[in-house]
């Protein structure tokens, strides 16, 4: 079946611009997670959704980062006024529900801020 | 503070040379220990979940085991296609998210 998809696969943007990253989870998965992965660093948790609600936003690095999920499906991560330190791979994962269940990852969006 | 540490950081094996990767954890209230494989330019791919000490799971040349302090990923007679970064993560019940290790980069030479 279809896995988690993310778009775009690559995004190059100028410092100060806003970007939107999209995630389409596996159909029927109610839990959705956003992570950031930088070279030489582990996966950094950003936010998770249960349905359309985000019970835990504790990982968002600053108020320039926001995310939403609509219809219990597609999610968008928005970064406003991008900075060079935002450059990383942004990964999305979905799971049948929150808790100790395996998460299935998309291929990621590589963001480069110049 | 909850922490997951993987060792070694990098490992180079000859094809057929068995070895083990280590994932040690210090967390309060482990609910599950996850192993993933990540190929360059791709997202992590789920391998195993272990829930209690003494549990073992196998898939092809891989076997994962769990104790109260650490987990091992044993690779038997590896092949070049096993080359990847192997990640482990601990699910901690109270904060309901995964705590990730930095991974072990495995290279298997033919």
């Amino acid at each position: 079946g279809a896995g988690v998809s993310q778009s775009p696969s690559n995004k190059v943007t100028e410092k100060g611009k806003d970007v939107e990253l999209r995630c389409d989870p596996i159909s029927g998965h109610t839990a959705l997670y956003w992570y950031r992965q930088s070279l030489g660093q582990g996966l950094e948790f950003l936010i998770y959704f249960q349905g359309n609600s985000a019970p835990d936003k504790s990982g968002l690095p600053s108020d320039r980062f926001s995310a939403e999920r609509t219809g219990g499906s597609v999610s968008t991560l928005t970064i406003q006024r991008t900075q060079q330190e935002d450059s990383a791979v942004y990964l999305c994962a979905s799971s049948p529900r929150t808790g100790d269940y395996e998460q299935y990852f998309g291929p990621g969006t590589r963001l480069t801020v110049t | 503070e909850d922490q997951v540490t993987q060792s070694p950081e990098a490992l180079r094996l000859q094809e057929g040379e068995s070895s083990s990767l280590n994932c040690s954890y210090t967390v309060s209230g482990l609910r599950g220990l996850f192993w993933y494989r990540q190929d360059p330019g791709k997202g992590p791919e789920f391998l195993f979940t272990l829930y209690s000490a003494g549990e073992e799971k196998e898939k092809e040349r891989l076997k994962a085991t769990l104790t109260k302090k650490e987990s091992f990923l044993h690779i038997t007679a590896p092949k070049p296609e096993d080359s990847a970064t192997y990640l482990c993560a601990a699910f901690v019940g109270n904060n309901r998210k995964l705590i990730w290790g930095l991974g072990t980069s495995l290279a298997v030479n033919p």
Side-chain angles (χ1 to χ4, degrees), chain B residues 50-64:
Chain B
L50 302 166
Y51 291 104
S52 56
E55 188 175 0
E56 298 183 353
K57 288 192 176 173
E58 289 189 65
K59 179 181 179 180
E60 296 180 355
R61 297 176 292 282
L62 300 177
K63 183 169 81 172

Side-chain angles (χ1 to χ4, degrees), chain A residues 17-18 36 44-47 57-67 77-86 90:
Chain A
K17 301 278 191 182
D18 298 350
R36 181 166 71 174
E44 176 188 4
F45 168 81
L46 298 178
I47 187 172
K57 304 180 183 179
S58 63
L60 294 176
S62 74
D63 58 8
R64 296 186 295 105
F65 288 72
S66 63
L77 177 69
T78 302
I79 309 174
Q80 296 179 310
R81 305 181 302 282
T82 51
Q83 304 295 311
Q84 288 188 329
E85 60 262 30
D86 299 334
Y90 290 81

Side-chain angles (χ1 to χ4, degrees), chain B:
Chain B
E1 181 185 352
D2 296 326
Q3 195 169 11
V4 173
T5 304
Q6 292 188 246
S7 62
E9 289 185 15
L11 181 63
R12 187 177 293 275
L13 300 173
Q14 288 299 122
E15 185 171 2
E17 179 186 2
S18 301
S19 188
S20 295
L21 312 182
N22 177 266
C23 170
S24 64
Y25 59 92
T26 51
V27 302
S28 53
L30 180 75
R31 291 276 301 275
L33 191 291
F34 294 77
W35 281 98
Y36 284 81
R37 167 193 171 128
Q38 187 173 25
D39 293 293
K42 297 188 177 182
E45 174 189 346
F46 171 74
L47 293 174
F48 304 107
T49 311
L50 302 166
Y51 291 104
S52 56
E55 188 175 0
E56 298 183 353
K57 288 192 176 173
E58 289 189 65
K59 179 181 179 180
E60 296 180 355
R61 297 176 292 282
L62 300 177
K63 183 169 81 172
T65 61
L66 182 66
T67 73
K68 289 185 178 180
K69 295 189 301 184
E70 57 195 347
S71 178
F72 291 94
L73 185 65
H74 307 277
I75 304 176
T76 302
K79 298 182 177 182
E81 54 262 41
D82 295 322
S83 298
T85 295
Y86 291 85
L87 301 168
C88 74
F91 186 83
V92 182
N94 286 344
N95 58 19
R96 305 189 67 76
K97 58 190 171 203
L98 289 172
I99 310 297
W100 292 84
L102 296 182
T104 293
S105 176
L106 174 66
V108 182
N109 296 326

